[in-house]
């Protein structure tokens, strides 16, 4: 079957290890389901995999891709929850949780196999391309906002780095849930788009906000960390799920954190139950993922290049 896979690891030039070509179709295994992939979306996790983060040389070649929507062996339209081993279903009881492409072959292929527990029904209201955007970036944003930040309608939120998949999702979900959303971006066009999607206002990174916010959604890391901390009201919550600009900020702002009793919460992906809630939320409200571009699988390299350059707003989706 045709697939996009990591053939080697290169920390400095990750795309040099990306190969488009034939790979063996997945083999049947007890308790697992093979899904015919209709659409799959790119995440920064795929670039990190090519750099060897979470993916060892001993696992190569590895088909990339965490997210997918498609049809199961009975023709049902489904979405995949990409965290394997979270519950023990389909794997050994002592196996730690992992994300597809860390231990098991991913979704950038004609077929993928996952534990039956990881297969969810796709709402008819969502297209395959829309549904394929949800299991990583949108699920991450959903958990950051509603589980870990604990915000309620009427609260205020700062979303750093508008344009990325998680940040874009946080803006749209926050607006739909009745939050007052502020956003930042270095790019003027992305700031304009953030406002169009529901942000009250979008600013250049580091700009002073008109008010202190209840929570900050942080995926950028070192470049925006100090601004994130300074933008919180006393007792506010900073939720971080990524560090695309690096994980070592020049100023940790420890004094401000303890003096204002701020909360810093790490957040990774989300649960199967949260993904079911997210799918239902999108189906019921009309909220849809923001898609930057849809490409056929054989043009996956173009999508990776856009992701690496940061030249996108929303998700890049690959179709099979």
């Amino acid at each position: 079957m045709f697939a996009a896979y990591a053939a080697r690891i290169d920390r400095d030039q990750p795309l040099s290890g990306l190969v488009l070509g034939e790979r063996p179709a997945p083999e049947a295994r007890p308790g697992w389901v093979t899904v015919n992939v209709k659409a799959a979306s790119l995440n920064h996790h795929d670039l990190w995999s090519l750099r060897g983060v979470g993916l060892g040389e001993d696992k190569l070649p590895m088909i990339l891709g965490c997210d997918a929507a498609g049809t199961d062996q009975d023709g049902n339209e489904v979405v995949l929850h990409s965290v394997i081993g979270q519950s023990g279903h389909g794997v050994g009881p002592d196996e730690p949780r992992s994300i597809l492409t860390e231990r098991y072959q991913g979704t950038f292929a004609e077929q993928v196999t996952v534990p039956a527990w990881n297969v969810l029904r796709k709402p008819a209201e969502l297209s395959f391309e829309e549904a394929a955007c949800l299991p990583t970036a949108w699920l991450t944003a959903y958990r950051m906002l509603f589980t870990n930040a604990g915000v309620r309608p009427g609260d205020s939120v700062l979303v750093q780095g508008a344009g990325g998949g998680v940040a874009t999702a946080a803006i749209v979900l926050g607006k739909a849930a009745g939050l007052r959303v502020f956003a930042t971006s270095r790019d003027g066009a992305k700031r304009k788009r953030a406002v169009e999607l529901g942000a009250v206002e979008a600013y250049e990174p580091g700009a002073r906000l008109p008010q202190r916010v209840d929570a900050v959604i942080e995926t950028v890391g070192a470049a925006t960390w100090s601004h994130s901390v300074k933008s919180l009201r006393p007792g506010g919550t900073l939720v971080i799920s990524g560090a695309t600009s690096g994980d070592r900020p020049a100023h940790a702002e420890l004094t401000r954190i303890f003096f204002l009793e701020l909360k810093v919460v790490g957040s990774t992906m989300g649960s199967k139950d949260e993904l079911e809630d997210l799918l239902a939320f999108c189906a019921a409200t009309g909220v849809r993922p923001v898609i930057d571009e849809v490409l056929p699988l054989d043009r996956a390299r173009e999508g990776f290049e856009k992701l690496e350059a940061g030249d996108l707003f929303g998700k890049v989706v690959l179709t099979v």
Side-chain angles (χ1 to χ4, degrees), residues 71-255:
T71 56
D72 65 13
Q73 292 144 316
D74 297 321
N76 300 306
E77 297 185 352
V78 298
V79 184
L80 304 186
H81 178 49
S82 60
V83 180
I84 308 296
Q86 188 179 39
S87 67
H89 290 274
V91 298
D94 298 325
E95 180 172 326
R97 71 175 183 174
S98 63
I99 301 173
L100 281 176
T101 74
E102 293 178 342
R103 292 170 177 264
Y104 302 103
Q105 301 294 323
T107 60
F108 294 166
E110 295 174 47
Q111 292 184 321
V112 63
T113 186
V114 297
W117 185 84
N118 286 72
V119 179
L120 291 78
R121 183 187 66 82
K122 179 183 79 65
E125 294 88 345
L126 298 175
S127 69
F128 286 110
E129 292 83 0
E130 291 165 344
C133 296
L134 298 179
T136 295
W138 279 66
L139 177 59
T140 296
Y142 186 91
R143 181 176 178 83
M144 291 176 80
L145 281 170
F146 306 123
T147 301
N148 288 327
V151 289
R152 300 179 298 176
D155 284 349
S156 57
V157 176
L158 169 63
V159 177
Q160 297 281 20
V166 174
T168 303
I171 294 169
V172 175
L173 291 171
K175 168 65 174 178
L179 302 176
R180 184 174 173 83
V181 181
F182 301 96
T184 67
S185 176
R186 294 174 297 177
D187 184 279
K190 291 181 179 179
R191 293 195 295 271
K192 181 180 178 181
R193 188 75 189 280
V195 173
E196 292 171 351
L197 288 176
V200 175
E201 190 54 80
Y203 303 91
E204 293 186 0
R208 186 182 182 89
L209 302 183
Q211 66 180 81
R212 298 268 182 91
V213 296
D214 297 292
V216 175
I217 301 302
E218 173 65 85
T219 59
V220 179
T224 56
W225 181 261
S226 182
H227 181 240
S228 291
V229 175
K230 291 176 180 178
S231 297
L232 281 169
R233 64 161 176 78
T237 303
L238 192 163
V239 185
I240 180 168
S241 69
T244 55
S245 66
D247 61 359
R248 300 182 182 184
H251 302 285
E253 305 292 349
L254 296 181
T255 301

Side-chain angles (χ1 to χ4, degrees), residues 6-9 11 23 49 52-63 101-105:
R8 57 189 172 276
I9 301 300
R11 297 185 183 279
R23 293 297 303 150
S49 295
V53 178
L55 177 61
E57 297 273 2
D58 60 320
K59 298 293 185 182
L60 299 179
M62 174 64 74
I63 298 172
T101 74
E102 293 178 342
R103 292 170 177 264
Y104 302 103
Q105 301 294 323

Side-chain angles (χ1 to χ4, degrees), residues 41-70:
S41 67
L42 271 73
N43 294 284
H44 273 96
H45 183 269
D46 300 306
L47 275 178
W48 288 114
S49 295
L50 287 165
R51 292 188 173 101
V53 178
L55 177 61
E57 297 273 2
D58 60 320
K59 298 293 185 182
L60 299 179
M62 174 64 74
I63 298 172
L64 297 170
C66 304
D67 298 345

